[in-house]
Amino acid sequence: MSVNQQAHTGPPYAQPQPGYQGYQQPAYGGQSLPGVPPAQYGAYNGPVPGYQQPLPPQGYFPSLGFPSKGSPVSLNSDTSSLAPNFIGSLRAPPPSGAPPPASGASHPSGPLAYSQFEHGDVQNGIPASAAPMQRPPPSQPFLPGSAPAPASQASAFQQFGPPAGVQQLTNHMAGMALGRAAASAPPPSALGYGPPTSVPPVLESFSATGSGLYTPYSASQGPPPTSVTQGLPLAQPPFPGQTVPAQRLPTQVPGFVPPPPSTGVGPSSYPPTTGAPRPPAMPGPPLPGQTLAGPPSSQPNHVPSPPPPSAMPMSGLHGPPPPTHPPQPGYQMQQNGSFGQVRGPQPNYGGAYPGTPNYGSPPGPPPPPKRLDPDSIPSPIQVIEDDRSNRGSEPFVTGVRGQVPPLVTTNFLVKDQGNASPRYIRCTSYNIPCTSDMAKQSQVPLAAVIKPLAVLPPEETLPYLVDHGESGPVRCNRCKAYMCPFMQFIEGGRRFQCCFCSCVTEVPPHYFQHLDHTGKRVDFYDRPELSLGSYEFLATVDYCKNNKFPSPPAFIFMIDVSYNAVKSGLVRLICEELKSLLDYLPREGNMEESAIRVGFVTYNKVLHFYNVKSSLAQPQMMVVSDVADMFVPLLDGFLVNVNESRTVIASLLDQIPEMFADTRETETVFAPVIQAGLEALKAAECAGKLFIFHTSLPIAEAPGKLKNRDDRKLINTDKEKTLFQPQTSFYNNLAKECVAQGCCVDLFLFPNQYLDVATLGVVPFQTGGSIYKYAYFQLETDQDRFLNDLRRDVQKEVGFDAVMRVRTSTGIRATDFFGAFYMSNTTDVEMAGLDCDKTITVEFKHDDKLSEDSGALLQCALLYTSCAGQRRLRIHNLSLNCCTQLADLYRNCETDTLINYLAKFAYRGVLSSPVKTVRDALINQCAQILACYRKNCASPSSAGQLILPECMKLLPVYLNCVLKSDVLQPGPEVTTDDRAYIRQLVTSMDVAETNVFFYPRLLPLTKADVDSDSLPAAIRNSEERLSKGDIYLLENGLNIFVWVGVSVQQGLIQNLFGVSSFSQISNTLSTLPVLENPFSKKVRSIVDMLQGQRSRCMKLIIVKQEDKLEMLFKHFLVEDKSLSGGASYVDFLCHMHKEIRQLLS
């Protein structure tokens, strides 16, 4: 079944996928199958007599061809079969007599040392002997049954873990990515070319320049997984067809045992190694799988370490995971994205293994403990770059079922040919399991993130509006699905069969059309609903409230005029801005003016309504002081057309700041303000939006009065969830009334202290509105950001009185919904307002079996009132593939969408469960997803390897960012209001927004090319990537940080900030100074470009290195350990590996 999926990352692959029908299998005995190209180099089997081994370059482990920066990491595409037995990574020699490693002990700052299997586990393959096996000469083929007889076993030996003989045997570099040293010599003639079962087939088929002899994988196969070895590979005995050069293999030195288990996470928990004797060297280079160099294995009486305790936590929270680093000069990229590049020693990393002393020489000091190289684990930057280069140039054509779209970070054009654009719908997987058992087994949530009114780029066509006249849209009689490209016309076009419920419906006479020879209607291409994935229908009166067409909506501006708001200059600022902003109200396509009417209210402890009727010379104010029983004191003259009442409105906006200039009133009400707006819309019989500008906790006597309940002592207790819940149910009931009327609330908050966002946000959230928050608002630094947000909020496309329903084909159904909306039943998502930035996330569950042939269908139908008062239906359709093999599911997942769903799921969870429970559940679910892949889809390999599906290789890094976010793990500086605000914000974010929010974009500004329009290449979010001589920009959708290193050249500082030295840079700047030089222009254009991509204006913060603000900046370097206790990426990856191994055992 063609999945039509392009690779998300990296070059194409041609390794066979074991165990799946339709994939090429290596023939047993090592011969290649017809059509499978031979490997450019055979499997590496250690030094071969007669071939000169080139000396390893500095920075290499002699045997590994690997950078010395961290532990040697073996990264294998799991499409090859790997040796099932791996031993832990090469480590610094420990102090003599140290206790043995636990299979799960943790040594954070050192690389991993694992024993992979439980006591006595015997893996498949040739039975292991305790004594080393002699290698046959290179010319002699290793045939089944010709294994050399095992030597007699020393009585001191005790089998544990991988049986000792196997553990010390290394007949080839199983799964190792070879460096140039190995690749430079041609393979000996006797080496098998077919992929033997224990050797990765074409791992090393790259030439030094990176152009390899590989065949692109077929579109249906998808990219192979990324596998990461936790520790070093230990080969299994040779398999048929594999030839092995003769050589004696060394085993472990007597008396040397790995470092003791440690459960700490911090670097300090690694045992000190200074002063420990270094072992004598062995003849010949060490081989993978050995912990240390030692005497030849023929030496008797080796004493093995005792069996590892299986219950210990995992060894070292620094275990190597999968690389996706850019092929930079001098890097030799392996086919699966692993590295074999030559690297010199780098700061903060141990150098290469310090040579091999002669026998008998006094032992020197051991090298420092190795740390896992962050470059060897999957890099979000590399994945994003690869996707851009692979998929950014071609348009994404939606005509094929189950296609995975390019990443949200890639700029691409969409051509709608029957499925909705990924700008409207993105799924966690585009190939869903046929059965619920399979879905449960994988634990991959099946969800769609839907953005029904998404803004399209100018090059793409907006959905066509189809008018079927009084009869309205054609629908299925039974399930009421709307006509779409997947409906099947039968009986010459007189009837159609529903693709969702299979019911047959008569085609209305006015809609009849003949079919062509393929069974398609001859007007197929003339009708958007038959040929496109997204389109709109004009709704008939049957789709309207009370069976009458709606009036155009209204906007009501409600301004807090208490002491704080007036004193800060906020009231004057809002009034000045509204004078011009009212000319930019949203309007339908070609209308000359907006149909939206406007009204004005000011308030503190009482409410002031204004009559701005066009016939008045001056506006009139009416005060309602009985806030307990809210009513609107005027009907005529409250909601008016802007053009007709322009002079009266201008006069009012001039007068408001003067009227309240001397106010001493500090208390405010809040609920009565919403009630007033609601009553005004009811009286006018229209939907609309309230723009409320509010500054403080509403403590004045009135309905909805709140008390200060902020309590940081509740953090990390069972009562922490109350901080996210509203204080009172009053606002839930008010929200319900607002939704019924189509009254949407947008809230602009300007707090100087706690104002209970969790409660004030209930009505905006449930009505589909937005919250904007400007803490400690100051005119000079915050006005631009606030005004930008206000302008965009007033002008953006919005639908009112909206109801959305998602229909699915038989076999799955929508069961759960996340976002800013209200639900009065289990199927309809109701929103008083839905704007172009809001998403609704829908989770699906099986209620029957699905079939691979017919796939699965979703139809999202949104009924709404446009800003001109037109009732419309917007329809989005999407077809997905179904699979009976788990590998197909894992090959077609979209990690960014998965993270979007998981974050929303977790952020809803904190309302009802302790935060720790929510975090643990997230980790557990992801461990189950990856363990299921490992168990069912990856080739057999050692438990010491972390193997990640190719399109989920960023799941651990992104998940860690969610776990470290302020909602789930707040630092001391994060307020309760901040957490409630972020929780609501993320719940209606789209996939692109959550992507940059959780893993911010970090750009080196000093590397920007001032002559081009392009952005500088992003770098990874870690402090060790920063250089003190450079300037960096970090953005996360809410903030833009400009970080300036202490050693930046004076000229750059002068060009960007207009001051002559680092110390003169002001960190109170809210915008960059406008200077006439190329660097200043380039940086400002980058900032403008980033602001244009986000739905909110980001706050600009200047951070000088070693300044107090730097702590805030470092909070966003998400690959590092966080001050609030969040793990670093490396540590978390190792923790995930431990969790996966526990699930598998």
Side-chain angles (χ1 to χ4, degrees):
M1 172 187 60
S2 168
V3 178
N4 301 294
Q5 182 204 356
Q6 295 194 28
H8 268 215
T9 54
Y13 301 76
Q15 292 125 331
Q17 179 84 9
Y20 292 119
Q21 202 164 351
Y23 294 121
Q24 292 177 323
Q25 299 287 330
Y28 212 62
Q31 333 66 308
S32 310
L33 282 177
V36 177
Q40 186 177 338
Y41 299 110
Y44 178 63
N45 281 311
V48 177
Y51 280 89
Q52 179 63 43
Q53 278 297 104
L55 283 172
Q58 196 210 348
Y60 253 58
F61 286 93
S63 64
L64 304 179
F66 249 80
S68 67
K69 212 169 156 184
S71 81
V73 181
S74 150
L75 300 114
N76 319 303
S77 159
D78 93 292
T79 36
S80 53
S81 288
L82 302 175
N85 309 320
F86 277 83
I87 193 170
S89 64
L90 190 69
R91 321 178 256 274
S96 175
S103 96
S106 100
H107 320 294
S109 60
L112 288 156
Y114 289 119
S115 167
Q116 275 64 19
F117 297 107
E118 297 308 314
H119 181 60
D121 250 341
V122 177
Q123 295 306 301
N124 53 359
I126 295 165
S129 73
M133 195 177 281
Q134 301 300 312
R135 282 192 174 186
S139 57
Q140 175 194 331
F142 200 151
L143 297 172
S146 69
S152 63
Q153 187 175 344
S155 58
F157 255 91
Q158 214 185 342
Q159 274 200 2
F160 70 93
V166 174
Q167 197 168 30
Q168 304 308 341
L169 257 189
T170 316
N171 53 17
H172 67 84
M173 301 289 261
M176 286 303 301
L178 298 187
R180 293 207 180 116
S184 57
S189 54
L191 283 182
Y193 272 64
T197 344
S198 55
V199 184
V202 202
L203 259 190
E204 277 71 57
S205 64
F206 263 54
S207 59
T209 58
S211 62
L213 304 174
Y214 53 83
T215 332
Y217 54 86
S218 70
S220 64
Q221 189 172 331
T226 306
S227 104
V228 178
T229 310
Q230 293 279 51
L232 279 191
L234 187 245
Q236 93 188 42
F239 265 61
Q242 187 185 346
T243 44
V244 185
Q247 190 194 334
R248 283 188 176 165
L249 302 179
T251 46
Q252 201 164 329
V253 188
F256 269 91
V257 278
S262 106
T263 47
V265 179
S268 57
S269 54
Y270 199 96
T273 52
T274 32
R278 189 168 63 229
M282 57 177 194
L287 286 147
Q290 268 177 264
T291 345
L292 301 164
S297 57
S298 53
Q299 184 179 323
N301 299 331
H302 281 312
V303 185
S305 325
S310 58
M312 290 302 288
M314 124 165 182
S315 98
L317 284 190
H318 285 275
T324 46
H325 214 50
Q328 290 158 10
Y331 280 26
Q332 184 178 348
M333 194 73 174
Q334 305 299 3
Q335 200 164 320
N336 58 355
S338 59
F339 274 86
Q341 79 275 13
V342 181
R343 271 193 111 140
Q346 303 214 354
N348 308 330
Y349 293 101
Y353 192 81
T356 45
N358 296 327
Y359 272 111
S361 62
K370 297 273 188 288
R371 186 192 151 204
L372 170 66
D373 178 2
D375 283 349
S376 66
I377 58 185
S379 153
I381 305 304
Q382 185 60 36
V383 171
I384 288 168
E385 280 308 310
D386 289 348
D387 193 73
R388 278 185 186 145
S389 56
N390 293 339
R391 309 199 60 186
S393 49
E394 293 295 309
F396 178 69
V397 181
T398 72
V400 183
R401 184 174 84 188
Q403 272 187 114
V404 182
L407 299 184
V408 283
T409 42
T410 299
N411 277 330
F412 59 98
L413 267 182
V414 179
K415 289 194 173 160
D416 184 343
Q417 289 191 0
N419 281 295
S421 160
R423 304 190 205 288
Y424 294 124
I425 306 183
R426 275 186 178 266
C427 294
T428 52
S429 178
Y430 287 79
N431 201 332
I432 59 181
C434 282
T435 65
S436 60
D437 289 348
M438 198 171 150
K440 282 194 191 97
Q441 187 185 358
S442 74
Q443 286 288 313
V444 176
L446 306 174
V449 179
I450 306 174
K451 196 176 182 181
L453 298 179
V455 178
L456 299 182
E459 314 81 87
E460 293 179 21
T461 317
L462 291 170
Y464 290 100
L465 181 60
V466 179
D467 183 0
H468 281 317
E470 287 186 13
S471 57
V474 179
R475 303 175 68 176
C476 166
N477 273 344
R478 184 197 288 160
C479 71
K480 301 297 182 221
Y482 294 86
M483 180 53 65
C484 72
F486 311 119
M487 298 289 190
Q488 192 68 45
F489 286 89
I490 54 176
E491 296 176 23
R494 287 189 295 280
R495 304 168 86 189
F496 69 89
Q497 184 168 26
C498 177
C499 50
F500 294 95
C501 69
S502 303
C503 172
V504 174
T505 302
E506 293 284 335
V507 173
H510 72 88
Y511 197 70
F512 174 79
Q513 186 56 267
H514 294 285
L515 307 185
D516 67 11
H517 64 285
T518 63
K520 254 186 194 170
R521 284 172 54 123
V522 294
D523 62 353
F524 176 82
Y525 289 107
D526 305 331
R527 291 195 176 271
E529 73 273 22
L530 298 182
S531 54
L532 298 176
S534 301
Y535 42 88
E536 292 198 315
F537 290 121
L538 205 54
T540 58
V541 74
D542 307 338
Y543 292 88
C544 303
K545 255 188 207 162
N546 308 324
N547 276 4
K548 63 179 199 183
F549 285 112
S551 310
F555 282 0
I556 305 176
F557 297 91
M558 315 184 91
I559 305 166
D560 175 347
V561 288
S562 63
Y563 177 74
N564 275 347
V566 174
K567 187 190 69 169
S568 65
L570 181 62
V571 173
R572 187 175 297 281
L573 181 69
I574 292 168
C575 291
E576 280 302 312
E577 178 61 28
L578 286 179
K579 284 187 211 170
S580 55
L581 186 55
L582 294 177
D583 288 334
Y584 296 97
L585 299 176
R587 57 185 128 183
E588 210 71 76
N590 48 10
M591 290 171 57
E592 286 187 12
E593 65 173 47
S594 174
I596 292 173
R597 291 169 296 162
V598 297
F600 303 88
V601 173
T602 56
Y603 67 95
N604 39 44
K605 268 166 75 168
V606 298
L607 274 75
H608 323 104
F609 292 80
Y610 297 93
N611 184 344
V612 282
K613 198 173 177 180
S614 55
S615 56
L616 296 174
Q618 284 293 322
Q620 296 171 346
M621 174 163 103
M622 296 180 188
V623 180
V624 176
S625 51
D626 180 10
V627 290
D629 184 19
M630 186 44 63
F631 67 98
V632 180
L634 73 162
L635 291 179
D636 193 28
F638 179 62
L639 294 178
V640 296
N641 174 292
V642 173
N643 280 341
E644 288 170 13
S645 297
R646 182 175 298 281
T647 50
V648 195
I649 291 173
S651 170
L652 170 69
L653 293 172
D654 283 336
Q655 289 175 39
I656 288 175
E658 307 309 325
M659 275 192 285
F660 298 99
D662 302 322
T663 185
R664 288 280 166 267
E665 185 54 74
T666 56
E667 293 189 352
T668 57
V669 296
F670 184 68
V673 181
I674 297 175
Q675 287 172 323
L678 173 62
E679 291 304 322
L681 294 176
K682 271 185 185 167
E685 295 187 339
C686 69
K689 186 180 265 199
L690 313 183
F691 295 84
I692 303 179
F693 305 91
H694 189 79
T695 59
S696 57
L697 190 71
I699 53 172
E701 267 317 315
K705 170 186 171 180
L706 301 178
K707 59 180 192 291
N708 188 336
R709 54 162 187 165
D710 190 17
D711 186 0
R712 288 193 62 84
K713 293 199 283 295
L714 296 181
I715 291 178
N716 294 328
T717 69
D718 284 353
K719 287 190 176 167
E720 183 173 6
K721 60 186 177 221
T722 59
L723 297 175
F724 296 110
Q725 297 164 352
Q727 275 189 46
T728 154
S729 62
F730 180 87
Y731 288 95
N732 293 65
N733 298 328
L734 182 54
K736 189 173 167 182
E737 288 180 54
C738 287
V739 172
Q741 180 55 40
C743 169
C744 177
V745 178
D746 279 0
L747 182 57
F748 292 80
L749 295 173
F750 306 87
N752 290 332
Q753 57 200 34
Y754 176 75
L755 50 58
D756 201 349
V757 173
T759 306
L760 297 190
V762 167
V763 179
F765 190 68
Q766 294 193 16
T767 59
S770 306
I771 306 180
Y772 297 85
K773 181 165 154 288
Y774 311 88
Y776 307 107
F777 179 82
Q778 287 180 309
L779 217 52
E780 54 278 10
T781 54
D782 297 315
Q783 82 169 40
D784 287 347
R785 183 163 60 104
F786 160 58
L787 292 179
N788 273 316
D789 284 341
L790 176 59
R791 287 168 195 152
R792 189 167 188 282
D793 196 53
V794 168
Q795 295 172 41
K796 67 186 172 189
E797 182 184 354
V798 58
F800 294 96
D801 242 335
V803 183
M804 185 183 103
R805 182 176 283 195
V806 179
R807 292 179 173 82
T808 54
S809 52
T810 313
I812 52 169
R813 61 192 172 87
T815 54
D816 211 349
F817 301 83
F818 303 82
F821 52 74
Y822 172 77
M823 289 187 83
S824 56
N825 58 35
T826 56
T827 54
D828 295 338
V829 174
E830 299 172 50
M831 294 154 289
L834 172 69
D835 64 48
C836 54
D837 298 324
K838 295 282 184 304
T839 62
I840 294 93
T841 300
V842 185
E843 186 180 7
F844 302 97
K845 291 259 163 66
H846 287 75
D847 56 8
D848 204 346
K849 280 199 169 118
L850 294 164
S851 107
E852 275 187 288
D853 300 335
S854 51
L857 300 174
L858 318 177
Q859 184 178 79
C860 160
L862 176 78
L863 175 64
Y864 70 100
T865 302
S866 74
C867 57
Q870 207 176 45
R871 202 70 176 144
R872 293 182 175 182
L873 282 152
R874 179 168 288 203
I875 313 294
H876 298 298
N877 303 288
L878 186 63
S879 60
L880 302 172
N881 285 323
C882 297
C883 57
T884 52
Q885 297 287 349
L886 282 164
D888 291 326
L889 164 70
Y890 283 102
R891 216 176 268 127
N892 293 278
C893 285
E894 232 261 297
T895 299
D896 293 323
T897 310
L898 191 55
I899 288 292
N900 179 286
Y901 165 83
L902 291 171
K904 291 171 180 177
F905 185 77
Y907 282 16
R908 185 176 67 184
V910 297
L911 291 173
S912 52
S913 308
V915 172
K916 183 178 186 313
T917 310
V918 173
R919 290 165 47 82
D920 291 347
L922 267 187
I923 293 172
N924 184 45
Q925 181 167 7
C926 287
Q928 287 191 326
I929 290 172
L930 297 174
C932 171
Y933 174 80
R934 175 63 188 263
K935 184 177 171 189
N936 299 289
C937 310
S939 316
S941 58
S942 94
Q945 271 190 317
L946 172 61
I947 298 184
L948 302 170
E950 179 63 20
C951 54
M952 278 190 192
K953 63 183 172 191
L954 298 182
L955 188 60
V957 62
Y958 286 163
L959 179 73
N960 190 35
C961 297
V962 174
L963 294 170
K964 286 158 68 165
S965 63
D966 292 339
V967 173
L968 297 182
Q969 194 160 34
E973 73 296 338
V974 181
T975 66
T976 305
D977 275 346
D978 286 335
R979 297 177 74 196
Y981 174 61
I982 301 270
R983 194 191 77 77
Q984 292 205 6
L985 213 54
V986 168
T987 303
S988 47
M989 276 185 181
D990 71 10
V991 179
E993 287 170 323
T994 50
N995 174 273
V996 78
F997 179 77
F998 289 116
Y999 193 94
R1001 177 148 57 162
L1002 182 59
L1003 304 173
L1005 294 178
T1006 24
K1007 305 278 193 294
D1009 178 358
V1010 292
D1011 299 321
S1012 91
D1013 294 337
S1014 60
L1015 291 173
I1019 59 171
R1020 291 171 66 169
N1021 283 199
S1022 170
E1023 195 176 351
E1024 62 183 45
R1025 310 277 168 177
L1026 304 179
S1027 144
K1028 59 185 181 182
D1030 287 323
I1031 301 174
Y1032 297 87
L1033 179 150
L1034 180 144
E1035 65 126 351
N1036 73 339
L1038 296 183
N1039 301 303
I1040 289 183
F1041 293 92
V1042 174
W1043 182 91
V1044 187
V1046 286
S1047 312
V1048 172
Q1049 291 170 7
Q1050 198 177 329
L1052 283 176
I1053 290 174
Q1054 182 73 52
N1055 283 344
L1056 190 55
F1057 299 104
V1059 296
S1060 55
S1061 71
F1062 179 80
S1063 58
Q1064 290 174 299
I1065 299 171
S1066 162
N1067 53 15
T1068 58
L1069 291 175
S1070 61
T1071 53
L1072 291 169
V1074 178
L1075 303 172
E1076 285 304 313
N1077 66 69
F1079 186 59
S1080 171
K1081 285 178 183 166
K1082 177 66 181 176
V1083 172
R1084 282 181 290 114
S1085 80
I1086 289 175
V1087 170
D1088 292 346
M1089 181 172 164
L1090 299 181
Q1091 292 281 23
Q1093 292 172 1
R1094 306 288 166 223
S1095 59
R1096 291 167 183 249
C1097 184
M1098 295 182 280
K1099 181 177 186 173
L1100 182 77
I1101 302 170
I1102 307 292
V1103 178
K1104 292 154 73 174
Q1105 189 178 2
E1106 293 164 12
D1107 188 56
K1108 58 182 184 298
L1109 270 176
E1110 200 182 22
M1111 298 312 284
L1112 180 61
F1113 171 75
K1114 285 181 179 174
H1115 176 66
F1116 296 98
L1117 297 176
V1118 290
E1119 290 198 18
D1120 297 338
K1121 200 171 172 190
S1122 72
L1123 288 171
S1124 53
S1128 70
Y1129 175 18
V1130 166
D1131 289 352
F1132 183 69
L1133 198 56
C1134 299
H1135 179 67
M1136 281 303 287
H1137 187 199
K1138 176 182 120 187
E1139 295 283 324
I1140 292 165
R1141 291 176 65 189
Q1142 280 177 349
L1143 288 171
L1144 292 175
S1145 61

